[in-house]
Amino acid sequence: MLDWQKIDTVLLDMDGTILDLHFDNYFWLHHLPSVYAEQNNISQDESRRYLMSLFDSLRGTLNWYCLDFWTEKLKLDIVALKYDIQTKITFRPQALEFLQALNRLEKKVYLVTNAHPKSLEVKLLNADFTQYFEQLITSHDFGYPKEEQQFWHDLRTKLSFDKQRTLFIDDSVSVLESAHKYGIQHLFGIAKPDSQQPEKSMEPFVALHQFSEIIKL
């Protein structure tokens, strides 16, 4: 259990932390390559290789998360394609109970995501959680992804949180490393962000298997 007396502000990632990452992984690794292959009259393997190469070249940048960028780059309506599989959007285990517990403790809770605003809209239509957060913040508001220090500077200017009294939970090691470099005191990863994939290491950060490990639900 955390000493919640020492925490005022809670920053939470969305995909892989509050929501099951299976939706996103399925979309980018299976659904989109299938549609792109059909659209361009190429094989599934050719489509997947081409897209994976593109993804790897942009990983960690704002464009990697930008649906407008991918719509223009691939000549496909990415938002519409996401709606096609929206039934796969689900909460991670204990996520709602965790948010409710944070509200009972009267913590300031903010969603802090790299997701594009249009992606956030798709998620909220299928998994509404707005009532548990003070604000929903996407890195596109600032023009920098969470992997970059400028994001954290801008976020702190907006929210005025105390770095020593802030908890941040994310399923990305590179994002957690960025938050650590900025000086956020309390950091946790997620052991199983995708319910359909094995657990993963979050070293050097502690990975949560359940939210009940750090709070009474």
Side-chain angles (χ1 to χ4, degrees), residues 60-120:
T61 69
L62 200 63
N63 276 344
W64 196 63
Y65 301 101
C66 182
L67 302 193
D68 292 337
F69 171 83
W70 290 112
T71 293
E72 174 63 25
K73 181 73 174 177
L74 303 177
K75 308 304 179 188
L76 291 170
D77 189 339
I78 300 298
V79 176
L81 292 177
K82 280 180 172 277
Y83 278 110
D84 287 345
I85 61 164
Q86 62 184 299
T87 56
K88 291 184 176 293
I89 297 171
T90 58
F91 286 102
R92 289 194 60 255
Q94 298 186 340
L96 285 177
E97 294 87 346
F98 178 53
L99 293 172
Q100 291 162 359
L102 292 174
N103 286 179
R104 286 196 298 272
L105 292 177
E106 298 183 339
K107 303 302 178 184
K108 292 182 178 179
V109 186
Y110 299 93
L111 186 78
V112 180
T113 178
N114 273 331
H116 189 270
K118 292 176 183 177
S119 183
L120 182 57

Side-chain angles (χ1 to χ4, degrees), residues 85-190:
I85 61 164
Q86 62 184 299
T87 56
K88 291 184 176 293
I89 297 171
T90 58
F91 286 102
R92 289 194 60 255
Q94 298 186 340
L96 285 177
E97 294 87 346
F98 178 53
L99 293 172
Q100 291 162 359
L102 292 174
N103 286 179
R104 286 196 298 272
L105 292 177
E106 298 183 339
K107 303 302 178 184
K108 292 182 178 179
V109 186
Y110 299 93
L111 186 78
V112 180
T113 178
N114 273 331
H116 189 270
K118 292 176 183 177
S119 183
L120 182 57
E121 289 176 9
V122 178
K123 301 295 173 64
L124 290 175
L125 283 175
N126 295 274
D128 186 18
F129 44 75
T130 54
Q131 66 269 36
Y132 300 111
F133 291 93
E134 303 265 341
Q135 291 184 54
L136 308 180
I137 297 167
T138 167
S139 58
H140 297 261
D141 296 336
F142 302 138
Y144 300 93
K146 291 185 288 184
E147 287 87 341
E148 294 189 28
Q149 289 296 289
Q150 189 61 47
F151 169 85
W152 298 103
H153 287 290
D154 290 350
L155 183 69
R156 192 168 179 226
T157 297
K158 183 179 180 71
L159 303 182
S160 301
F161 58 82
D162 182 343
K163 290 188 281 188
Q164 298 300 311
R165 299 183 60 82
T166 295
L167 165 66
F168 175 51
I169 305 177
D170 200 287
D171 68 310
S172 165
V173 171
S174 60
V175 169
L176 289 169
E177 287 173 340
S178 180
H180 175 72
K181 182 178 179 180
Y182 184 65
I184 293 179
Q185 180 68 28
H186 306 280
L187 299 167
F188 286 100
I190 297 292

Side-chain angles (χ1 to χ4, degrees), residues 26-40:
Y26 180 83
F27 178 83
W28 294 104
L29 302 180
H30 299 283
H31 187 55
L32 180 61
S34 177
V35 173
Y36 189 79
E38 184 176 352
Q39 181 84 2
N40 291 277

